[in-house]
Amino acid sequence: MEASVILPILKKKLAFLSGGKDRRSGLILTIPLCLEQTNMDELSVTLDYLLSIPSEKCKARGFTVIVDGRKSQWNVVKTVVVMLQVILVSANKLTRYIEPCQLTEDFGGSLTYDHMDWLNKRLVFEKFTKESTSLLDELALINNGSDKGNQQEKERSVDLNFLPSVDPETVLQTGHELLSELQQRRFNGSDGGVSWSPMDDELLAQPQVMKLLDSLREQYTRYQEVCRQRSKRTQLEEIQQKVMQVVNWLEGPGSEQLRAQWGIGDSIRASQALQQKHEEIESQHSEWFAVYVELNQQIAALLNAGDEEDLVELKSLQQQLSDVCYRQASQLEFRQNLLQAALEFHGVAQDLSQQLDGLLGMLCVDVAPADGASIQQTLKLLEEKLKSVDVGLQGLREKGQGLLDQISNQASWAYGKDVTIENKENVDHIQGVMEDMQLRKQRCEDMVDVRRLKMLQMVQLFKCEEDAAQAVEWLSELLDALLKTHIRLGDDAQETKVLLEKHRKFVDVAQSTYDYGRQLLQATVVLCQSLRCTSRSSGDTLPRLNRVWKQFTIASEERVHRLEMAIAFHSNAEKILQDCPEEPEAINDEEQFDEIEAVGKSLLDRLTVPVVYPDGTEQYFGSPSDMASTAENIRDRMKLVNLKRQQLRHPEMVTTES
């Protein structure tokens, strides 16, 4: 009978074992009767339960029953006394049979008893005893089944409920707590209480708990080892199953997916589509690779803690799994690298094609530059584009060759499949793209050579036109300098001759400038004929050059005439003004004086006459003040000549004045 079954009855405290003993060491059974009618059936059940607790040895010593009828009716007390066949004594005579220390406080003793505390601990003890006994049977069945050598019985034992009905750890913890309570406080004692207890060694509580705990630990240790072995076996079988799943998929559907992908595409978009498809394949493989990583870790853990008999099988599984996964990963990486190389090749080919299109567009547009600088800039741009095309073509060759090298190694992951036809299509495509780009580049180079020659001729044309215009400017500047600065006629014949010589050199410079301009304009005509264009300067620069040269020629001739007249004037004047006794007849010639005077007047008149150009415009040499100064010098010289003439006519005037 278990306390949990009759718990409501036991809580009524119809009878109890307080833990006290009589002088014969017999247990004291107390029946506290109350005012209410006592249910004899419940009392009988309670007594049966309480009397089943002590050991046979303890029962042999007998019991002392204390029926407390002080609060009950006599007929109830009588009924109990008759039922138990006990001897009636008064309460004050209990000490004859029982020591006071073995009596509870209700009977004047000092023994402490807490019925609910006893009942709770009794429930714990019985629960532990029941659970541990059941658990021991289950563990023994499991352990004994695992120890049998018959494989059929092993399999049959596995079919049974493998897990115990209760948690062994919980039962062991409960047993340790109960044993600790028994050892420290005794079963019914309290802190500081007496050492007597109904659950001491005589009631077999503590030894029974210790024995159960020892048996539980032994069986649980064996059970843990059985679980470990079975778990390892199960784990090994699961790993083997998963390994075969991974291997079968990688060597089956995974390899088929890779075998179906062999092309590289014929454009960036096609290569990107193939890359996207390959990423989908990689995504599917990644799931199996994740399983591989997990399995590899599990196998490594088992290898570190596995038995010798499992090492060979585990290593074989690990090697098989690693070989297949690494091979498949290498194939995926190879395919990815091949597609990336193809994408880069098509990208370079597209960029190069766009560069060639741009260069061809420039070459197809007619050249109409504004000046030589724009031509030079256009030439520079052409050269840069051509150089960029060269670099692009070189890059295309390098990418193409690298891609061809990779394709040549494609057979290494083809699983025996003949990829010669597929490779030939890829190789032909790559070589065709490179050859096409080479031909297009060659055509552009030829057109660039023609355009370069034409533009260099245009540079020469613009240069000739600019230099011809510059020659006109220089000639205009020379004309302006001639009219504004070449004014003086000299103070004597020698100085005038020097001025005449300088003027002739000045004219030579102007003549060279004019000839240079004419040559440049002739060159522009030839270049225009070659370029089949019209020179911008053909209708403007040449007339300007001829007009300025004509004006310069007229002004120069006028300057020469004036200088020659001035030389004649100064030479004759100097002859007269110098004292030359050896030629008196020359000095006395009146005609010379008349000639000098006539030349001087003619020179003065010429100074006042402007230079008249063919178009009717007029231009004076220098400013009026410059002309006045030159005329004044001539007049002074003429005065001296006249004075000399007077001296020769009237010598006495000179003497008198002297």
Side-chain angles (χ1 to χ4, degrees):
M1 185 180 299
E2 296 179 1
S4 58
V5 177
I6 58 172
L7 182 60
I9 298 176
L10 293 177
K11 286 183 177 180
K12 294 180 180 181
K13 196 179 179 182
L14 299 178
F16 62 90
L17 292 169
S18 64
K21 297 180 181 180
D22 58 18
R23 297 180 186 277
R24 296 176 295 106
S25 296
L27 294 176
I28 299 175
L29 175 64
T30 304
I31 303 176
L33 300 177
C34 57
L35 294 175
E36 299 177 356
Q37 183 68 31
T38 301
N39 189 322
M40 293 303 164
D41 293 335
E42 293 181 350
L43 177 60
S44 177
V45 170
T46 303
L47 292 175
D48 290 341
Y49 174 74
L50 292 177
L51 294 176
S52 67
I53 295 176
S55 63
E56 294 299 327
K57 181 179 179 181
C58 186
K59 291 178 182 180
R61 297 192 191 105
F63 293 87
T64 296
V65 180
I66 300 177
V67 181
D68 186 0
R70 290 175 295 180
K71 297 180 181 180
S72 180
Q73 299 177 359
W74 168 247
N75 58 345
V76 176
V77 175
K78 182 179 179 181
T79 301
V80 173
V81 169
V82 172
M83 180 181 66
L84 296 178
Q85 297 181 1
V86 296
I87 301 174
L88 291 175
V89 295
S90 60
N92 54 7
K93 294 182 180 180
L94 288 176
T95 55
R96 295 180 182 179
Y97 306 95
I98 304 170
E99 294 290 338
C101 64
Q102 300 296 318
L103 293 174
T104 60
E105 294 178 355
D106 295 336
F107 302 104
S110 59
L111 181 64
T112 302
Y113 173 74
D114 185 342
H115 184 69
M116 293 308 298
D117 181 65
W118 172 85
L119 183 57
N120 290 334
K121 288 181 172 58
R122 185 65 191 178
L123 289 172
V124 173
F125 171 75
E126 289 184 355
K127 180 182 178 182
F128 168 72
T129 303
K130 180 180 179 181
E131 289 181 349
S132 59
T133 303
S134 175
L135 181 60
L136 282 172
D137 294 338
E138 293 176 358
L139 294 179
L141 178 62
I142 294 172
N143 296 336
N144 294 334
S146 298
D147 291 339
K148 293 180 180 180
N150 192 319
Q151 181 65 29
Q152 183 177 359
E153 293 190 4
K154 275 190 177 182
E155 294 176 356
R156 188 161 54 249
S157 66
V158 173
D159 294 336
L160 298 176
N161 189 5
F162 182 78
L163 295 176
S165 59
V166 293
D167 181 19
E169 293 286 348
T170 304
V171 176
L172 284 171
Q173 182 179 358
T174 302
H176 285 297
E177 292 175 354
L178 179 60
L179 181 62
S180 176
E181 183 72 20
L182 291 173
Q183 291 174 344
Q184 293 179 6
R185 300 180 57 197
R186 301 297 176 121
F187 192 84
N188 190 39
S190 60
D191 294 340
V194 297
S195 60
W196 295 94
S197 170
M199 292 301 293
D200 61 5
D201 290 345
E202 292 181 347
L203 298 181
L204 299 179
Q206 183 172 331
Q208 187 175 354
V209 171
M210 293 178 63
K211 182 178 180 181
L212 287 173
L213 285 175
D214 292 340
S215 299
L216 277 176
R217 279 192 290 266
E218 179 183 358
Q219 290 294 334
Y220 184 52
T221 301
R222 291 180 58 194
Y223 168 74
Q224 286 179 317
E225 178 62 22
V226 170
C227 290
R228 189 185 70 82
Q229 292 294 333
R230 290 185 177 180
S231 175
K232 185 178 67 173
R233 189 69 249 173
T234 302
Q235 186 178 10
L236 185 59
E237 292 173 355
E238 291 177 354
I239 289 175
Q240 186 176 12
Q241 182 180 4
K242 290 182 179 180
V243 167
M244 294 313 299
Q245 288 178 351
V246 174
V247 171
N248 291 336
W249 190 90
L250 292 179
E251 292 184 343
S255 298
E256 287 297 329
Q257 289 178 346
L258 281 177
R259 278 196 290 267
Q261 299 293 316
W262 55 266
I264 62 172
D266 57 359
S267 64
I268 292 180
R269 181 174 299 179
S271 295
Q272 288 175 341
L274 289 174
Q275 273 193 332
Q276 184 176 2
K277 178 63 177 177
H278 183 72
E279 288 174 358
E280 295 175 0
I281 295 175
E282 281 186 332
S283 178
Q284 296 180 25
H285 279 75
S286 297
E287 299 176 2
W288 291 98
F289 288 154
V291 177
Y292 156 71
V293 173
E294 181 181 356
L295 288 175
N296 199 35
Q297 293 175 350
Q298 294 178 3
I299 293 175
L302 290 177
L303 286 174
N304 292 332
D307 298 331
E308 291 294 333
E309 60 183 13
D310 299 328
L311 291 180
V312 177
E313 184 177 0
L314 285 172
K315 288 182 178 180
S316 176
L317 285 175
Q318 187 180 44
Q319 187 64 42
Q320 181 184 12
L321 182 64
S322 298
D323 291 344
V324 174
C325 289
Y326 278 118
R327 183 170 61 248
Q328 200 76 356
S330 300
Q331 294 158 10
L332 287 170
E333 183 180 8
F334 178 86
R335 176 64 179 169
Q336 177 61 32
N337 293 337
L338 182 66
L339 291 176
Q340 183 61 34
L343 181 63
E344 293 175 358
F345 172 77
H346 290 126
V348 174
Q350 179 174 298
D351 293 341
L352 179 58
S353 179
Q354 292 175 353
Q355 292 176 2
L356 288 170
D357 290 341
L359 179 58
L360 185 61
M362 284 187 62
L363 295 172
C364 291
V365 176
D366 194 14
V367 181
D371 51 29
S374 63
I375 292 177
Q376 292 289 356
Q377 186 176 0
T378 304
L379 275 175
K380 182 179 179 181
L381 182 60
L382 276 176
E383 296 294 342
E384 289 177 353
K385 284 186 174 294
L386 189 59
K387 183 178 180 181
S388 178
V389 167
D390 287 335
V391 174
L393 184 59
Q394 181 62 32
L396 182 66
R397 290 186 184 130
E398 293 176 358
K399 294 293 184 182
Q401 187 58 49
L403 186 55
L404 290 173
D405 293 341
Q406 285 186 324
I407 290 176
S408 64
N409 296 327
Q410 192 171 6
S412 63
W413 55 269
Y415 287 107
K417 178 184 177 183
D418 187 7
V419 294
T420 305
I421 298 177
E422 291 85 347
N423 281 345
K424 186 177 186 304
E425 293 181 7
N426 293 332
V427 170
D428 291 344
H429 169 69
I430 296 169
Q431 293 177 346
V433 170
M434 292 192 292
E435 291 173 359
D436 179 62
M437 293 299 173
Q438 177 63 40
L439 291 176
R440 290 178 61 186
K441 187 248 184 184
Q442 186 61 48
R443 288 195 296 269
C444 287
E445 281 183 340
D446 296 340
M447 296 178 68
V448 167
D449 291 339
V450 175
R451 178 57 60 87
R452 186 187 296 111
L453 178 59
K454 182 177 181 180
M455 299 190 79
L456 289 176
Q457 289 179 339
M458 295 187 72
V459 170
Q460 292 178 351
L461 174 61
F462 285 145
K463 181 64 176 175
C464 289
E465 290 178 346
E466 291 174 1
D467 291 348
Q470 185 65 50
V472 174
E473 294 296 327
W474 289 343
L475 197 58
S476 298
E477 291 174 359
L478 291 174
L479 175 60
D480 189 62
L482 174 62
L483 294 173
K484 292 181 179 180
T485 61
H486 293 212
I487 302 169
R488 294 184 68 255
L489 298 178
D491 295 333
D492 52 38
Q494 183 62 33
E495 183 180 0
T496 303
K497 289 179 181 179
V498 172
L499 290 175
L500 180 59
E501 184 63 25
K502 289 182 178 180
H503 177 71
R504 286 172 177 164
K505 293 180 179 179
F506 185 74
V507 172
D508 291 339
V509 173
Q511 181 68 50
S512 300
T513 303
Y514 172 71
D515 294 339
Y516 176 65
R518 292 281 298 184
Q519 293 173 0
L520 291 173
L521 291 175
Q522 290 175 359
T524 59
V525 173
V526 176
L527 290 172
C528 286
Q529 292 175 351
S530 176
L531 294 171
R532 298 180 182 179
C533 66
T534 303
S535 173
R536 298 178 302 175
S537 61
S538 59
D540 179 35
T541 308
L542 183 58
R544 285 178 55 216
L545 180 65
N546 291 332
R547 182 174 65 253
V548 174
W549 176 246
K550 186 64 177 176
Q551 292 174 354
F552 183 87
T553 302
I554 294 173
S556 176
E557 290 176 353
E558 178 62 26
R559 174 67 174 168
V560 171
H561 289 323
R562 292 184 182 187
L563 288 174
E564 288 178 348
M565 291 177 65
I567 290 173
F569 172 74
H570 285 303
S571 297
N572 291 331
E574 288 174 359
K575 289 180 181 179
I576 293 175
L577 293 177
Q578 289 178 357
D579 293 333
C580 298
E582 62 276 6
E583 297 180 357
E585 67 283 356
I587 298 176
N588 294 328
D589 190 353
E590 288 292 333
E591 293 180 359
Q592 288 185 353
F593 286 99
D594 294 337
E595 183 180 354
I596 292 172
E597 185 175 1
V599 171
K601 289 180 179 181
S602 178
L603 186 56
L604 289 173
D605 292 339
R606 193 141 195 161
L607 290 177
T608 60
V609 176
V611 178
V612 181
Y613 296 138
D615 58 0
T617 58
E618 298 179 351
Q619 184 67 45
Y620 289 91
F621 279 92
S623 62
S625 60
D626 294 334
M627 290 291 94
S629 176
T630 302
E632 186 64 27
N633 290 334
I634 295 174
R635 291 190 184 96
D636 290 342
R637 180 56 65 93
M638 290 179 65
K639 287 180 181 181
L640 291 176
V641 171
N642 287 332
L643 181 59
K644 186 67 175 181
R645 185 176 186 179
Q646 292 296 328
Q647 289 176 355
L648 292 176
R649 287 180 178 178
H650 305 286
E652 65 279 3
M653 293 178 61
V654 177
T655 304
T656 302
E657 292 177 359
S658 301

Short mmCIF file of all heavy atoms in Angstrom, two decimals, residues 95 143 196 254 367 380 459:
data_model
loop_
_atom_site.label_atom_id
_atom_site.label_comp_id
_atom_site.label_asym_id
_atom_site.label_seq_id
_atom_site.Cartn_x
_atom_site.Cartn_y
_atom_site.Cartn_z
N THR A 95 4.29 6.75 32.05
CA THR A 95 5.73 6.80 32.29
C THR A 95 6.27 5.51 32.86
O THR A 95 7.48 5.30 32.90
CB THR A 95 6.06 7.96 33.24
OG1 THR A 95 5.29 7.81 34.43
CG2 THR A 95 5.75 9.29 32.59
N ASN A 143 19.83 -2.59 -20.80
CA ASN A 143 21.25 -2.95 -20.77
C ASN A 143 21.46 -4.42 -21.11
O ASN A 143 22.39 -4.78 -21.86
CB ASN A 143 21.84 -2.63 -19.41
CG ASN A 143 21.84 -1.14 -19.12
OD1 ASN A 143 21.82 -0.33 -20.05
ND2 ASN A 143 21.85 -0.76 -17.86
N TRP A 196 15.80 10.13 17.67
CA TRP A 196 14.92 9.01 17.33
C TRP A 196 14.02 9.40 16.18
O TRP A 196 13.56 10.52 16.08
CB TRP A 196 14.06 8.61 18.54
CG TRP A 196 14.92 8.07 19.65
CD1 TRP A 196 15.43 8.75 20.69
CD2 TRP A 196 15.35 6.73 19.78
NE1 TRP A 196 16.17 7.98 21.49
CE2 TRP A 196 16.15 6.69 20.96
CE3 TRP A 196 15.18 5.55 19.06
CZ2 TRP A 196 16.74 5.52 21.42
CZ3 TRP A 196 15.76 4.41 19.54
CH2 TRP A 196 16.54 4.39 20.69
N GLY A 254 24.00 17.04 -60.39
CA GLY A 254 24.97 18.14 -60.40
C GLY A 254 25.90 18.07 -61.59
O GLY A 254 26.16 19.07 -62.27
N VAL A 367 36.47 67.07 -93.68
CA VAL A 367 37.24 67.96 -92.83
C VAL A 367 36.99 69.39 -93.25
O VAL A 367 37.15 69.74 -94.42
CB VAL A 367 38.74 67.63 -92.91
CG1 VAL A 367 39.53 68.55 -92.00
CG2 VAL A 367 38.97 66.18 -92.53
N LYS A 380 45.69 65.31 -83.56
CA LYS A 380 46.05 64.74 -82.27
C LYS A 380 44.95 63.80 -81.78
O LYS A 380 45.22 62.71 -81.25
CB LYS A 380 46.26 65.87 -81.26
CG LYS A 380 46.69 65.38 -79.88
CD LYS A 380 46.90 66.54 -78.93
CE LYS A 380 47.30 66.06 -77.55
NZ LYS A 380 47.48 67.18 -76.61
N VAL A 459 47.31 71.82 -93.14
CA VAL A 459 48.15 72.59 -92.22
C VAL A 459 49.13 73.45 -93.00
O VAL A 459 49.34 74.64 -92.71
CB VAL A 459 48.89 71.65 -91.25
CG1 VAL A 459 49.95 72.40 -90.46
CG2 VAL A 459 47.91 70.98 -90.30
#
